[in-house]
Amino acid sequence: ENLPATRDHEVKVQVRACALSWVDTKLLSEIKLKKELVPVGREISGVVLEVGSKVTFFQPDDEVVGILPLDSEESGVCEVILVHEHYLVHKPEKVCWAEAAGTVRDGLRAYTALHYLSQVSPGSSVLVLDGASPFGTIAIQLAQHRGAKVISTAHSLEDKQYLERLRPAGARVIDVSHGKIDVAESCLEETGGLGVDIVLDAG
């Protein structure tokens, strides 16, 4: 209700949707962010109401999506919040508010893993564990978009059918629901004995 004035690099956002994702308290303790109260709802989408004097990437009425930083004192479940411009991007026009807030976290994790950490390239082979998870689905599609050969594990018949219906098709699915499949052996078989270049495991 009583937001401070918008500082130079801050953006005032009217929140339209907020994702309530799991809070990694172990990570917070490891990076020495000990707080009595941890704000929930870090992934948001909304409309820019006002921008600070040095903000150049956004203007009022822009539709944005972003992730609040771990040390943020603000919660995404507020109606209006102040966010540093570096934590926001423009929301694609055809993506609704809820989908934008709900996918930005896994999308950023998959993109970071494939682009920055493993430098996936055409011809690479990628193993995505639990491909039917939100993270896995995005990782499969991004890896295929970059020209990689994708192998994925499925933990149930439903997951296997879901992965086989993904478009574009092409990810080889290994059904591990019965526990009788050796994933390493299956990967060697799929890659002509070479093995995979990248393994993505979302835990």
Side-chain angles (χ1 to χ4, degrees), residues 57-129:
F57 199 57
F58 303 104
Q59 55 191 354
D61 297 324
D62 281 352
E63 296 182 351
V64 294
V65 60
I67 302 176
L68 302 180
L70 286 173
D71 62 353
S72 174
E73 296 294 327
E74 302 215 38
S75 167
V77 296
C78 297
E79 287 184 23
V80 177
I81 60 170
L82 291 173
V83 186
H84 193 286
E85 66 177 322
H86 292 163
Y87 299 117
L88 299 170
V89 294
H90 289 278
K91 181 183 80 63
E93 192 177 314
K94 293 182 180 180
V95 178
C96 75
W97 300 111
E99 288 172 350
T103 59
V104 68
R105 178 175 175 262
D106 284 322
L108 183 62
R109 288 171 63 217
Y111 185 80
T112 300
L114 290 167
H115 182 72
Y116 293 107
L117 301 178
S118 64
Q119 291 93 33
V120 69
S121 58
S124 299
S125 54
V126 180
L127 170 63
V128 179
L129 299 173

Side-chain angles (χ1 to χ4, degrees), residues 2-198:
N2 298 310
L3 283 176
T6 307
R7 292 188 294 232
D8 290 349
H9 290 282
E10 284 185 332
V11 177
K12 186 182 283 187
V13 178
Q14 179 182 23
V15 178
R16 294 290 179 92
C18 174
L20 296 174
S21 57
W22 173 67
V23 177
D24 190 341
T25 52
K26 185 177 181 203
L27 173 64
L28 292 175
S29 68
E30 284 176 9
I31 61 173
K32 310 290 189 260
L33 271 179
K34 293 187 179 180
K35 298 182 185 182
E36 195 172 310
L37 296 172
V38 178
V40 296
R42 293 183 44 238
E43 299 86 34
I44 58 146
S45 61
V47 178
V48 173
L49 298 175
E50 185 182 309
V51 296
S53 60
K54 294 185 179 176
V55 173
T56 57
F57 199 57
F58 303 104
Q59 55 191 354
D61 297 324
D62 281 352
E63 296 182 351
V64 294
V65 60
I67 302 176
L68 302 180
L70 286 173
D71 62 353
S72 174
E73 296 294 327
E74 302 215 38
S75 167
V77 296
C78 297
E79 287 184 23
V80 177
I81 60 170
L82 291 173
V83 186
H84 193 286
E85 66 177 322
H86 292 163
Y87 299 117
L88 299 170
V89 294
H90 289 278
K91 181 183 80 63
E93 192 177 314
K94 293 182 180 180
V95 178
C96 75
W97 300 111
E99 288 172 350
T103 59
V104 68
R105 178 175 175 262
D106 284 322
L108 183 62
R109 288 171 63 217
Y111 185 80
T112 300
L114 290 167
H115 182 72
Y116 293 107
L117 301 178
S118 64
Q119 291 93 33
V120 69
S121 58
S124 299
S125 54
V126 180
L127 170 63
V128 179
L129 299 173
D130 193 13
S133 66
F135 170 82
T137 301
I138 293 172
I140 288 169
Q141 293 173 330
L142 285 174
Q144 287 179 323
H145 179 71
R146 296 292 294 267
K149 174 185 175 123
V150 180
I151 302 168
S152 176
T153 61
H155 295 281
S156 68
L157 179 59
E158 293 82 16
D159 286 358
K160 184 175 190 275
Q161 291 170 341
Y162 167 77
L163 290 169
E164 288 171 344
R165 288 192 306 266
L166 277 181
R167 294 292 174 257
R172 163 74 165 90
V173 181
I174 302 170
D175 185 354
V176 295
S177 59
H178 304 298
K180 297 175 185 172
I181 300 290
D182 185 324
V183 175
E185 198 174 290
S186 297
C187 288
L188 287 170
E189 187 180 310
E190 281 296 315
T191 58
L194 297 173
V196 295
D197 301 305
I198 301 162

